[in-house]
Amino acid sequence: MENQNTSPFLLRPDGTPVRVLVVDDEPDLTEVLSGALRYEGWEVRTAADGASALATARAFGPDAVVLDWMLPDSDGLTVLRGLRAELAGVCVLFLTARDAVEDRIAGITAGGDDYVTKPFSLEEVLARLRGLLRRAGMARGSDLHQADRLVVGDLVMDEQAREVTRGGVVIELSRTEFELLRFLMRNPRRVLSKAQILDRVWSYDFGGRAHVVELYISYLRKKIDAGRTPLIHTVRGVGYVLKPDVS
C-alpha cells in the first residue's frame, strides 16, 4: 500500500501541527470548515458558544481562532476580549453574516486580525488564516511545500505565481480549475469524495450537485492528462485521487 502524504502545509515553529479553534453555533458550517482545516494537516477544536470557546481555548492553546460574531450566550467582541486576556498572541478571524462597514471596523478595532463575511469561500478563509499565521510568526512552511510549490510526479504548481506546469510545459487553468487542482495536489494519493471536493473548492453553502465536480475533473483531465500518463484517477463509488504513475 502506498503511504499517504499527511504533512501539513504550515507547521508551528516547533514542528507540530497548527492549532485552530472554530467558534460557531451552526453545526453544518462548523463541520465543513473543520474538515477543510484538517485537510491542511491542522489540529482543530470546535465550540458552539462563548463560554465553551474560552474554556476550550484555555485547554487547547490555539494559534488561531475562527470566531462567529453572534453566539447563543454572547457576542464575538466579548469572546474576543476573553481570548486576548487568556492568549495575547492568538490570531482571530471573524466569520460572520454581519457585513456592514461599521461592523468590520468594530471587529478590527476591538482586536480582531481579519474579517470574512458569510457566505464565504473555504479557500479564502484558509488563505486568510495562512497569511495571519505567517505574519504573526506562528507558523512556517513544511519541507514539502517550500516556496509555495506543490509537486506530484512531473506536475508542478507555483501557488504564488498561480502557474502550473507538467513536464515543463505551462498549463493554463481557470480559477476554479486551479483551486480544484490545488486541493488534489495538497492531498496526493488520498482518495477525495465528491462531497469533500464540493465543500473544499466551492463555498460551504454551495447548492450544486456532484455532476459539477465530474465536469471540472473532466476539464482538468483534458488539460493535465491529455496525451500523457494519467495522474487523475477515478475510484469507483468513492471519488478521485491524484497520484503519479507507479508502474
Side-chain angles (χ1 to χ4, degrees):
M1 179 181 295
E2 293 177 291
N3 292 326
Q4 291 186 347
N5 169 25
T6 57
S7 295
F9 176 63
L10 287 183
L11 296 169
R12 305 173 95 191
D14 63 2
T16 59
V18 168
R19 297 179 180 179
V20 182
L21 171 62
V22 178
V23 184
D24 199 294
D25 63 342
E26 297 181 48
D28 291 342
L29 183 154
T30 301
E31 180 180 357
V32 169
L33 184 54
S34 297
L37 294 169
R38 290 189 178 100
Y39 285 133
E40 290 286 302
W42 299 350
E43 291 186 19
V44 183
R45 297 290 185 276
T46 63
D49 56 56
S52 58
L54 293 176
T56 302
R58 281 191 288 270
F60 182 45
D63 304 297
V65 177
V66 179
L67 178 62
D68 189 16
W69 188 290
M70 301 177 67
L71 297 167
D73 62 343
S74 184
D75 63 82
L77 296 183
T78 300
V79 176
L80 174 61
R81 286 191 285 270
L83 289 170
R84 291 291 184 222
E86 298 282 347
L87 303 163
V90 67
C91 299
V92 177
L93 171 69
F94 275 113
L95 189 64
T96 174
R98 300 180 61 152
D99 59 357
V101 173
E102 54 267 29
D103 291 327
R104 292 173 179 265
I105 294 173
I108 300 301
T109 301
D113 297 292
D114 208 343
Y115 196 109
V116 175
T117 57
K118 302 175 183 178
F120 58 86
S121 159
L122 284 170
E123 184 57 40
E124 179 185 7
V125 172
L126 290 169
R128 298 285 188 96
L129 285 172
R130 292 186 209 110
L132 290 176
L133 290 163
R134 282 196 175 107
R135 288 193 294 274
M138 299 174 69
R140 60 176 176 80
S142 68
D143 293 340
L144 294 179
H145 298 286
Q146 287 296 326
D148 290 331
R149 292 177 75 250
L150 303 175
V151 181
V152 178
D154 61 349
L155 182 66
V156 179
M157 173 180 285
D158 185 325
E159 294 186 283
Q160 291 291 342
R162 296 188 71 83
E163 181 179 84
V164 174
T165 61
R166 182 162 186 196
V169 178
V170 175
I171 299 172
E172 298 293 336
L173 299 177
S174 69
R175 180 183 181 280
T176 302
E177 290 167 349
F178 184 91
E179 299 303 340
L180 173 55
L181 182 61
R182 171 152 58 180
F183 184 40
L184 294 173
M185 293 187 72
R186 284 186 178 169
N187 295 275
R189 301 181 176 86
R190 177 178 296 166
V191 179
L192 302 170
S193 70
K194 293 174 185 177
Q196 289 171 333
I197 293 171
L198 277 174
D199 288 342
R200 181 64 173 78
V201 178
W202 284 267
S203 58
Y204 78 95
D205 61 346
F206 181 70
R209 298 291 186 269
H211 76 272
V212 175
V213 177
E214 297 169 4
L215 181 63
Y216 274 90
I217 287 289
S218 72
Y219 291 161
L220 274 185
R221 279 181 164 143
K222 290 176 182 177
K223 295 183 177 183
I224 300 298
D225 287 345
R228 306 178 177 96
T229 302
L231 289 176
I232 302 172
H233 303 271
T234 299
V235 180
R236 291 189 180 279
V238 183
Y240 302 97
V241 59
L242 183 77
K243 60 181 180 180
D245 179 44
V246 293
S247 60

